[in-house]
Amino acid sequence: MLSIEPMKYLAVCAQQSPEHQVLTFAAKAADVLRFASIERIGRDAQGELSGFQRPQVAAHIREIRDYLEKPNAVLPNPIVVAFTDRVAIDDLGNGAATLTIDISGGTPGLVVDGQQRLSALTQIDRDFQVFVSALICRDDAELRRQFVLINNTRPLPKSLIYELLPTVDDLPPRLSRRSMAANLTARLNFENTALKGYIKQHTSPGGIIADTVIQKIIMESLANGVMRELIKSHDGETSCVRLISNFFDGVKRAFPEAWHGHNPSSSRLLHGAGIQAMGDVMEVLAQRGSARTVNDFQDGLQCLRGKTAWTEGKWELGGEVRGWNALQNVNRDISLLKHYLVGVVKADQRQRRKAAPTPLLDRAVG
């Protein structure tokens, strides 16, 4: 059996983080794919996340390829590859080093940035070298963390970054808050909930409700709503998932004609504006009406029957009259719809409290 020789490169070391080793060297594009792979994001049958790169964008790759086929083409931006093992660094002094990569067991590196450029390079008939920035990480968790932090400042789809956040530790506070919301959103989309398959994510492109819209509802509730205390219980995350699932199950039952068979274009109930506004309705019912079950929410939503224009008619919102499909996913329209729906529900809750027998009367009747 033939042994596979390791790949060796003369590299330049950069003095950056004391916890990481960062090197740069030049390599042929074909050779990069011998020591690094592009692991595309996906989910298994159980909904577990794997990989972290976005799907290939064919049009973008073709554009890069067409440019690189020109004889005067240059590509100064490096391909960033992360390693966790099977690499050795021999310090040569003065910032130089020999990087040895063991490929006997397959590709030890993962492409963290530059997947489209690398894919385009493999399609051209040229002996083209690229710069490779090698980042040595202590483990897979650190590798994913670096991917998120590096790409969060680049124009990658935010939904891809957000979907990866729950797999990463030690994030900045801003991303930590989003991480919790992204994790609950994924559970709603892949577990047995009322929203299973409805949420559009990178790993669920067939969904119709934007994941960022659901995340906004969750983040607002975690910060100032019912989930702020709910998340502190012994099964906090599960309780939050159950609450949102029960609410939207109640929504389906209260407005079946505006939910089933519709999409955001045909029903404002499934539109970004409608979903966010209903998130505020959920808060009112959960906090003022103590709603928790599907029946609780369905009952609390009855006051909106006949007062909405999800699929036809007109909205009367604070003196403004809008066609049913004139509401857009912009802050002003969302605010108008929230104010209207919440106002109707709060008024109904006040009436219910007035109509409810007092404890004194209960004792008298007893």
Side-chain angles (χ1 to χ4, degrees), residues 32-44:
V32 175
L33 290 176
R34 292 181 62 199
F35 61 73
S37 60
I38 300 172
E39 188 178 349
R40 309 204 185 280
I41 191 168
R43 290 185 185 270
D44 59 22

Side-chain angles (χ1 to χ4, degrees), residues 90 103 139 152 156 180 186 220 252 277 281:
D90 183 16
I103 60 171
D139 52 35
N152 190 51
L156 278 176
M180 172 67 75
E220 288 178 7
K252 288 181 182 181
V281 170

Side-chain angles (χ1 to χ4, degrees), residues 277 316-320 322 327 330-342:
E316 294 185 12
L317 307 172
E320 286 192 36
R322 301 279 196 92
L327 290 176
V330 296
N331 289 337
R332 186 174 185 278
D333 287 7
I334 294 169
S335 180
L336 279 172
L337 188 56
K338 282 183 176 182
H339 183 75
Y340 170 72
L341 295 178
V342 166

Side-chain angles (χ1 to χ4, degrees), residues 79-263:
I79 307 296
V80 182
V81 177
F83 298 90
T84 58
D85 58 9
R86 290 194 279 152
V87 291
I89 300 171
D90 183 16
D91 189 357
L92 302 177
N94 296 320
T98 299
L99 176 68
T100 303
I101 306 171
D102 178 9
I103 60 171
S104 61
T107 54
L110 288 172
V111 177
V112 172
D113 188 38
Q115 61 147 330
Q116 313 290 15
R117 279 167 278 149
L118 186 56
S119 297
L121 283 165
T122 61
Q123 298 179 15
I124 65 173
D125 188 21
R126 288 184 62 190
D127 217 9
F128 202 101
Q129 280 191 319
V130 292
F131 288 110
V132 178
S133 288
L135 175 63
I136 315 301
C137 300
R138 60 178 175 267
D139 52 35
D140 288 340
E142 175 62 17
L143 189 154
R144 285 181 177 273
R145 178 174 180 272
Q146 291 300 325
F147 173 81
V148 167
L149 296 179
I150 289 170
N151 285 290
N152 190 51
T153 60
R154 302 290 297 278
L156 278 176
K158 288 296 183 183
S159 59
L160 170 58
I161 297 296
Y162 296 156
E163 196 168 350
L164 286 166
L165 289 178
T167 68
V168 180
D169 296 323
D170 194 23
L171 290 167
R174 175 177 63 85
L175 292 180
S176 294
R177 290 189 293 271
R178 178 72 72 166
S179 176
M180 172 67 75
N183 184 48
L184 296 179
T185 298
R187 291 187 61 178
L188 284 164
N189 204 27
F190 291 97
E191 294 182 8
N192 188 25
T193 76
L195 291 177
K196 183 176 182 179
Y198 275 94
I199 304 172
K200 185 175 183 178
Q201 298 178 277
H202 262 268
T203 56
S204 182
I208 57 177
I209 301 172
D211 56 354
T212 51
V213 171
I214 299 296
Q215 289 166 15
K216 284 180 182 178
I217 293 175
I218 295 171
M219 286 191 293
E220 288 178 7
S221 187
L222 288 172
N224 304 301
V226 64
M227 292 186 208
R228 183 171 57 182
E229 294 303 319
L230 206 59
I231 197 68
K232 298 176 184 177
S233 62
H234 72 281
D235 62 344
E237 291 190 15
T238 298
S239 296
C240 290
V241 169
R242 185 183 305 117
L243 179 80
I244 300 172
S245 177
N246 286 347
F247 171 71
F248 279 102
D249 202 346
V251 170
K252 288 181 182 181
R253 299 183 187 193
F255 304 103
E257 72 286 346
W259 185 281
H260 299 293
H262 284 283
N263 58 50

